[in-house]
Amino acid sequence: MRLEKLCREEALRYMGYRGNAPDSAMTALLDQAEEQLLRVIEPKYVYRIFDVENIGAQGVSLKDCELFLEGKDIAVHLEGCRRAALMACTISGGADRLIRINQIRNMTLAYVMDSLASAAVEQVCNAAQQEIASQTGGYCTWRFSCGYGDLPIESQKKFLTVLNAQKRIGVSVSDSFMMTPTKSVTAVFGISDSPLDKKRSDCESCNMKDSCKFRKTGERCGI
Amino acid sequence: MEFKQLLDKKEFIILDGAMGTMLQRKGMKPGAVPEELNITCPEWIEEIHSSYIRAGADIVYANTFGANRYKLADSEFSAEQLIKAGVGIAKKAAQGKDTLVALDIGPIGQLLEPAGSLTFEEAYDMFREMVIAGSKADIIVFETMTDLYELKAAVLAARENSSKPIACTMTFEENGRTFTGCEVSAMAVTMEGLGVDAVGVNCSLGPDRLAEVVGEFARWTNLPIIAKPNAGLPDPETDLYDMTAEQFAQEMKKLAAMGVKILGGCCGTDPEFISRLSGLLGNEKYQRPVPEIPAAVCSYGRTVAIDRPRIIGERINPTGKKVFKAALINKDIDYILSQAIEQTSAGAEILDVNVGLPDIDEKQMMVTAVKAIQSVTDAPLQIDSTLPEVLESALRIYNGKPIVNSVNGEEKSLSTVLPLVKKYGAAVVGLTLDENGIPKTAEERFAIAKRIMERAVSIGIPKRDIFIDCLTLTASAEQKGVMETVNALRRVKTELGLKTVLGVSNISFGLPNRELINSTFLSVALANGLDLPIINPNAAAMTGAVRAYRLLAAYDENSIEYISAYGGEKPAAAADSGVSKDMTVGYALEHGLRSEGAKVTAKLLETTDPMDIVNEMLIPALDKAGEDFEKGRIFLPQLIQTAGAAQACFEVIKKHMTSKGGGQVSKGKIILATVKGDIHDIGKNIVKVLLENYGYQVIDLGRDVDYQRVVDAAIENDVHLVGLSALMTTTLPSMEETIRLLHENNVDCKIMVGGAVLTYDYAMKIGADFYSKDAKESVDIAKKVLG
């Protein structure tokens, strides 16, 4: 997978632009940040598809998988799905290094890069999900991640183990369940044989709902 | 049988194939802990080992790969239990045969600093546990490593807690690097320096795609080379690999012909693969030309071969620099980092690091500085100290192969420094002086160089790792001495065959137009064989002299490097006229113009009191930006940019005041820290930029900061405002604990907190005094608390 360009609208949203257009100085910064990032970004992803074994009050069990997806929210999320895909995506460690260096040299540029890199990993997720979906057929739910709703963030470690993510794409997790490289995402999505209700992401099930800067201004985060 | 005998006796050493693949075939589920089977299902493991031994494996890897404290956190078994059991099963399977058993150790499973939060020392501890638990094995293997730093911790743990041979392999991608950016050359020179017994590649790709990686190993090391690749590439969905056993064996044979001595299989291989491999190599002869390994030093991600003059940047050194000294005393690591980045941008290929100052803990500062510098640049470092304990601490935690600066001809120096150089596999600068000082003549300096060389070689340091410094004296004081230095240098180079190093800038001390003398002397030295000039790379004439010499001496083939450095340069316009008349501090800040801001500030300082510039121009401009930000007229990047321009102005003012020996610009001290466990620190750093540019002195403790360190720093520096940041819900308890500890110790300070997941209510609940919703608000809080 290769990223040809990065999603600036998304990055601007992260930077609090609320739909305002960037001025020319900002556009120049975005150009500079994007150019440098594209040189170091190495998109990688890994996934596995499991049959859904049982959806119950405690959560979801997958066939031949040691990871139990715990919680009511993931149970609701995967309702009606015969299969579930577990995936991990990253833009790799080069972006982290670049951002770190620029925090010494030029904090503004570093911040713009950080936002663009966050947008980039979302792009990798979108592309990966599309590729997986096109291979498996069926209808996909949106992506649900460890730490959303009542799916514990502590699941992150086993999630990555199941995907053999450290060996395959170099993604691991720290003691406090933060992923490295920083710009990495894990997610599970359901695959159904029949069309799904166009369920929108529900802010109520989000553990960021009290502090979400998008919600405060009436926006949505885009999940 | 021992590993060394095996190397002598056999043309090729055959390793086993995959363990995980075999266990999955037996029904192990994804996500299970394979090492637990050593206790819950030992017969599976023994069966697998036995099948590999029957297939012809000379060494089998015990099922201990992931049996470390971190990965087993949720297991009912300890690392020690599982490793002892695992080695025991392999021993049992190998009983009565010539097969050796390897203690197999993989990565811990979380990333080390700076990318992750695991410290080098913690990693060392975990590896030590594993090495001790696996003491019954015949050889220690570290494999599937992607981080050179982690591998170094592992190898040190093995060297210091076992006498068994060590083999290590890393997982290289098609671009010749690991996931963390480690190059083959960097691994080879670092590991050979640390004294391991074999190096190579495992996992990665199929053998058909590893020719380049193997070629690099053959070029950079004389150690036996290992290849234990996958059975091709995996199908993402089924996890099945695409090579047959026969294809695999045929491709492996090609790698053997390139000089690989030790061969086996990783993911997707099984006993059939090993049996074909061992059959195919049965009648082959191991042949490998012995290459001459280039002199080189490296960081994790860049190897610098000393095959032409290379620039060592001298600027990270407090000698004669007031601002640098102040930065060291204030533990302002960012200042040191900016010096590092500035020099590498200007053309430095290696950086000298000297942080020696009478009143600081040099050892701790050196470790901090080396770690921090390595997090922002991949230029190899030269560790510069007169204290052996400082050298050792830095050598231990350095990621790669550094240069030690320095040893000299004194017995005390030879006997303390050289063993460290040997143990940690560094290169070393040898100064041609001894008990009697610096000899006057070239002859005497040459004699000391020879003595240093002989001593180093006698304890096993290769000649290519010895760089001799014939010492530059000041031309104004010892005019006749200049050519003695040059003559000694030439003799060391031609007669001893050693690389040479020289600090150049001293030559012109006390003379006008120093750069002219420096660059001329540099050119003379280069022409006489100088390999490693230590210079100020920011001086264009100096870096230029080296580049020009590399072109003229035909190192810079087709002048590519020279043209890329200077080709885009426009003919110099009329000398930089400075600032336009209309430029004001306010305008520079509003538009984020750093250099203009600095220039206009410098001009103002000629006529205006520094504090007036701060209070009447900088602060109001910052306030306006802050207000615009709150009203939504400008956005965070623009606010940071304004702050960045203000920072440039403040730098000029600080420098002015330091040089005048005057007071501080500081309006008060503030501690900032990203709490323990949290490694996302960009938010904290943005806050820091803003606070600094309102004139506060920020003591930045960094990220993943231990609770007690915050308390200690607050007490030690008499700080009355502490800012804590946390990004994740999982690190909020750390924030709470830090606050609790501050209160428990009755530290007289207010606490402000911020971060993505925090809310006002939560901040109050955990005992903070202020909740800062964004960077701007932290400034308001600081004003409230400190004025």
Side-chain angles (χ1 to χ4, degrees):
Chain A
M1 187 191 290
R2 269 184 64 99
L3 295 183
E4 302 292 340
K5 59 192 288 254
L6 304 181
C7 185
R8 296 184 176 201
E9 294 72 29
E10 190 74 2
L12 285 166
R13 249 163 40 81
Y14 296 150
M15 290 187 270
Y17 268 65
R18 283 171 242 132
N20 287 286
D23 60 12
S24 60
M26 184 63 197
T27 306
L29 266 177
L30 282 163
D31 288 343
Q32 199 185 346
E34 178 172 4
E35 195 225 317
Q36 291 187 31
L37 273 171
L38 285 175
R39 261 186 273 150
V40 299
I41 284 177
E42 293 176 65
K44 291 191 177 77
Y45 70 96
V46 60
Y47 71 95
R48 288 192 75 138
I49 294 168
F50 294 96
D51 286 339
V52 173
E53 196 168 60
N54 181 47
I55 300 183
Q58 304 302 310
V60 180
S61 60
L62 305 171
K63 189 160 181 286
D64 292 330
C65 178
E66 288 272 316
L67 174 70
F68 180 76
L69 298 168
E70 188 186 323
K72 291 191 299 290
D73 297 316
I74 187 67
V76 172
H77 185 77
L78 293 179
E79 213 174 75
C81 296
R82 192 168 58 80
R83 292 174 295 171
L86 268 51
M87 73 169 188
C89 302
T90 183
I91 57 169
S92 305
D96 283 339
R97 256 192 305 276
L98 185 64
I99 293 166
R100 204 158 52 230
I101 293 167
N102 277 291
Q103 285 185 55
I104 306 297
R105 205 157 42 181
N106 182 344
M107 191 68 205
T108 319
L109 185 61
Y111 178 62
V112 174
M113 276 180 180
D114 188 69
S115 305
L116 269 175
S118 297
V121 69
E122 283 303 318
Q123 287 174 262
V124 176
C125 288
N126 289 338
Q129 185 173 12
Q130 222 162 42
E131 275 185 43
I132 299 166
S134 73
Q135 272 166 32
T136 55
Y139 304 86
C140 296
T141 67
W142 51 273
R143 301 188 292 272
F144 201 95
S145 292
C146 298
Y148 285 9
D150 59 358
L151 178 61
I153 187 125
E154 288 76 10
S155 318
Q156 198 82 276
K157 191 170 164 183
K158 187 149 252 183
F159 199 109
L160 290 169
T161 308
V162 168
L163 292 174
N164 205 3
Q166 188 183 23
K167 214 166 172 176
R168 296 275 291 276
I169 60 169
V171 173
S172 58
V173 68
S174 76
D175 276 335
S176 44
F177 306 101
M178 295 187 174
M179 276 186 285
T180 43
T182 317
K183 303 300 178 191
S184 304
V185 167
T186 57
V188 50
F189 57 90
I191 305 167
S192 157
D193 297 331
S194 52
L196 291 156
D197 287 345
K198 195 92 183 127
K199 274 190 276 187
R200 295 243 12 211
S201 153
D202 181 359
C203 290
E204 284 309 310
S205 74
C206 180
N207 61 358
M208 295 281 287
K209 68 173 189 284
D210 295 324
S211 56
C212 176
K213 62 176 178 179
F214 296 112
R215 256 167 74 86
K216 279 181 198 155
T217 56
E219 282 190 289
R220 299 183 63 87
C221 70
I223 296 167
Chain B
M1 177 88 71
E2 279 183 20
F3 181 62
K4 294 220 162 72
Q5 290 172 276
L6 202 59
L7 279 172
D8 290 340
K9 200 185 104 193
K10 301 225 15 172
E11 293 291 328
F12 295 100
I13 295 177
I14 305 296
L15 304 172
D16 60 5
M19 172 62 73
T21 304
M22 299 298 286
L23 290 174
Q24 275 160 28
R25 283 190 202 164
K26 286 183 181 290
M28 185 184 73
K29 290 180 184 176
V33 180
E35 295 79 14
E36 288 182 348
L37 296 167
N38 293 344
I39 289 174
T40 58
C41 196
E43 58 281 5
W44 278 9
I45 310 296
E46 191 181 338
E47 235 173 80
I48 294 169
H49 286 320
S50 297
S51 64
Y52 280 126
I53 294 171
R54 279 197 302 277
D58 300 306
I59 301 177
V60 291
Y61 286 18
N63 183 35
T64 50
F65 180 85
N68 65 60
R69 204 196 313 154
Y70 171 72
K71 282 194 177 161
L72 297 175
D74 301 325
S75 174
E76 55 178 306
F77 304 109
S78 70
E80 187 188 352
Q81 279 176 303
L82 295 180
I83 288 173
K84 285 197 162 141
V87 172
I89 299 167
K91 277 275 172 190
K92 188 167 162 223
Q95 207 163 32
K97 306 184 177 68
D98 277 342
T99 319
L100 300 188
V101 167
L103 168 65
D104 181 28
I105 300 180
I108 284 166
Q110 73 184 116
L111 226 53
L112 264 69
E113 54 187 355
S117 61
L118 191 68
T119 64
F120 184 82
E121 296 76 11
E122 287 167 339
Y124 176 92
D125 266 354
M126 289 197 220
F127 286 122
R128 186 173 52 90
E129 276 174 17
M130 298 179 79
V131 165
I132 292 171
S135 62
K136 294 255 161 60
D138 305 301
I139 173 172
I140 302 168
V141 168
F142 298 107
E143 63 161 345
T144 326
M145 291 286 177
T146 59
D147 183 355
L148 185 64
Y149 207 32
E150 183 175 5
L151 182 55
K152 178 169 176 179
V155 168
L156 282 179
R159 291 275 320 265
E160 292 172 355
N161 296 283
S162 163
S163 53
K164 297 284 163 65
I166 302 167
C168 22
T169 53
M170 293 183 87
T171 298
F172 294 95
E173 302 302 299
E174 206 141 25
N175 62 9
R177 289 175 179 265
T178 67
F179 285 139
T180 62
C182 177
E183 288 185 313
V184 173
S185 52
M187 180 206 182
V189 303
T190 306
M191 288 301 127
E192 184 157 357
L194 287 173
V196 307
D197 300 275
V199 290
V201 52
N202 82 296
C203 206
S204 300
L205 310 149
D208 50 333
R209 291 166 190 249
L210 285 178
E212 276 182 41
V213 168
V214 166
E216 276 290 283
F217 273 114
R219 194 179 144 214
W220 287 99
T221 180
N222 283 319
L223 290 173
I225 301 170
I226 308 169
K228 202 175 192 283
N230 292 342
L233 295 173
D235 181 297
E237 206 170 324
T238 59
D239 220 15
L240 295 176
Y241 288 77
D242 67 359
M243 274 183 142
T244 65
E246 185 56 29
Q247 285 169 335
F248 181 84
Q250 290 294 349
E251 292 296 335
M252 289 299 280
K253 192 176 156 190
K254 293 182 196 163
L255 297 184
M258 292 180 67
V260 176
K261 169 94 179 173
I262 305 169
L263 306 96
C266 201
C267 305
T269 63
D270 62 21
E272 176 65 16
F273 282 66
I274 299 308
S275 155
R276 296 263 176 149
L277 174 65
S278 117
L280 202 59
L281 291 179
N283 297 317
E284 299 293 320
K285 284 258 172 272
Y286 172 69
Q287 277 168 334
R288 186 180 164 199
V290 180
E292 175 154 359
I293 307 300
V297 293
C298 70
S299 67
Y300 70 95
R302 199 200 300 168
T303 305
V304 175
I306 322 295
D307 55 358
R308 67 195 65 190
R310 300 288 189 185
I311 298 171
I312 302 181
E314 67 179 9
R315 300 292 295 165
I316 303 179
N317 190 323
T319 313
K321 301 191 194 89
K322 279 186 182 163
V323 179
F324 201 111
K325 281 182 188 160
L328 284 179
I329 289 164
N330 297 328
K331 299 192 177 132
D332 181 0
I333 298 297
D334 279 1
Y335 179 78
I336 299 177
L337 296 186
S338 66
Q339 295 287 311
I341 292 172
E342 189 181 26
Q343 291 184 87
T344 51
S345 308
E349 294 158 297
I350 298 167
L351 298 175
D352 187 86
V353 180
N354 182 321
V355 293
L357 209 58
D359 300 329
I360 65 164
D361 179 348
E362 185 182 343
K363 190 162 124 182
Q364 201 192 351
M365 178 51 79
M366 180 63 97
V367 168
T368 308
V370 166
K371 284 184 176 182
I373 293 169
Q374 289 210 286
S375 78
V376 297
T377 173
D378 60 6
L381 304 183
Q382 171 163 293
I383 298 162
D384 184 355
S385 174
T386 50
L387 304 174
E389 63 270 26
V390 173
L391 293 175
E392 171 149 35
S393 312
L395 282 168
R396 217 173 159 76
I397 53 84
Y398 179 82
N399 190 358
K401 173 181 176 176
I403 305 173
V404 166
N405 189 9
S406 55
V407 70
N408 63 49
E410 272 183 83
E411 178 54 34
K412 194 168 144 234
S413 172
L414 292 168
S415 61
T416 51
V417 176
L418 290 180
L420 295 176
V421 171
K422 169 65 186 157
K423 177 177 178 191
Y424 294 100
V428 63
V429 170
L431 307 181
T432 50
L433 58 83
D434 61 13
E435 295 82 349
N436 307 314
I438 304 176
K440 280 221 174 325
T441 66
E443 180 61 40
E444 291 166 289
R445 290 190 212 172
F446 177 82
I448 297 177
K450 190 154 177 271
R451 217 162 71 216
I452 293 173
M453 177 187 83
E454 282 162 359
R455 189 64 174 270
V457 169
S458 77
I459 64 162
I461 298 170
K463 265 178 76 175
R464 62 173 184 271
D465 288 338
I466 306 163
F467 310 153
I468 295 296
D469 185 340
C470 293
L471 299 168
T472 303
L473 302 176
T474 305
S476 58
E478 311 217 23
Q479 205 167 0
K480 297 250 166 62
V482 175
M483 289 325 271
E484 293 296 327
T485 302
V486 173
N487 290 337
L489 186 157
R490 193 179 53 245
R491 288 194 57 194
V492 166
K493 175 89 175 214
T494 51
E495 293 173 36
L496 297 180
L498 298 182
K499 303 290 177 192
T500 58
V501 55
L502 201 58
V504 174
S505 311
N506 261 351
I507 191 82
S508 62
F509 195 77
L511 290 170
N513 197 356
R514 291 189 62 178
E515 199 166 276
L516 178 61
I517 298 292
N518 286 348
S519 63
T520 306
F521 177 62
L522 174 58
S523 296
V524 170
L526 287 167
N528 279 281
L530 175 59
D531 299 292
L532 294 163
I534 306 179
I535 60 173
N536 175 4
N538 306 323
M542 300 299 281
T543 309
V546 177
R547 289 201 182 110
Y549 178 79
R550 289 203 289 223
L551 184 155
L552 298 172
Y555 292 114
D556 180 7
E557 249 177 87
N558 298 321
S559 320
I560 291 172
E561 180 196 277
Y562 185 86
I563 293 169
S564 95
Y566 301 108
E569 225 168 62
K570 306 214 171 41
D576 190 356
S577 56
V579 225
S580 84
K581 278 202 291 288
D582 309 330
M583 180 60 68
T584 64
V585 167
Y587 185 89
L589 259 58
E590 186 182 341
H591 294 85
L593 307 171
R594 300 169 67 104
S595 58
E596 284 81 354
K599 283 180 199 156
V600 80
T601 306
K603 189 121 188 68
L604 278 168
L605 280 170
E606 293 167 11
T607 54
T608 319
D609 182 72
M611 287 321 286
D612 287 348
I613 303 178
V614 173
N615 292 324
E616 285 162 29
M617 298 178 202
L618 285 171
I619 301 290
L622 281 164
D623 279 341
K624 178 172 179 303
E627 194 187 318
D628 285 348
F629 172 71
E630 274 178 350
K631 299 257 162 71
R633 289 194 288 257
I634 64 168
F635 305 98
L636 188 54
Q638 291 154 312
L639 183 63
I640 303 170
Q641 204 152 31
T642 295
Q647 187 168 27
C649 303
F650 269 112
E651 289 303 329
V652 175
I653 294 173
K654 261 195 240 168
K655 218 172 175 171
H656 177 83
M657 292 177 76
T658 318
S659 68
K660 288 253 160 7
Q664 294 259 322
V665 203
S666 176
K667 298 173 69 175
K669 292 187 236 174
I670 301 172
I671 284 179
L672 289 184
T674 300
V675 299
K676 185 160 179 54
D678 209 315
I679 52 171
H680 293 107
D681 62 350
I682 189 163
K684 183 260 300 166
N685 292 339
I686 291 172
V687 169
K688 177 184 173 189
V689 170
L690 254 67
L691 287 172
E692 283 186 338
N693 296 309
Y694 270 87
Y696 298 102
Q697 184 196 337
V698 174
I699 299 169
D700 181 2
L701 300 181
R703 55 189 193 160
D704 189 20
V705 180
D706 201 54
Y707 321 125
Q708 189 64 40
R709 255 190 79 203
V710 179
V711 175
D712 294 346
I715 296 171
E716 185 187 322
N717 297 290
D718 188 27
V719 170
H720 301 291
L721 180 59
V722 172
L724 301 173
S725 109
L727 186 90
M728 306 245 304
T729 47
T730 47
T731 53
L732 287 178
S734 285
M735 182 176 268
E736 190 170 359
E737 179 59 22
T738 309
I739 295 174
R740 198 189 61 74
L741 215 58
L742 280 165
H743 287 156
E744 192 183 283
N745 286 276
N746 295 316
V747 182
D748 178 23
C749 70
K750 298 284 183 197
I751 301 162
M752 62 174 168
V753 297
V757 292
L758 272 174
T759 60
Y760 175 81
D761 292 343
Y762 193 86
M764 295 304 119
K765 201 184 112 198
I766 61 175
D769 299 292
F770 301 97
Y771 164 65
S772 174
K773 74 171 171 12
D774 55 32
K776 165 65 180 48
E777 199 166 352
S778 67
V779 174
D780 300 339
I781 294 167
K783 281 185 186 164
K784 215 179 288 177
V785 177
L786 302 174

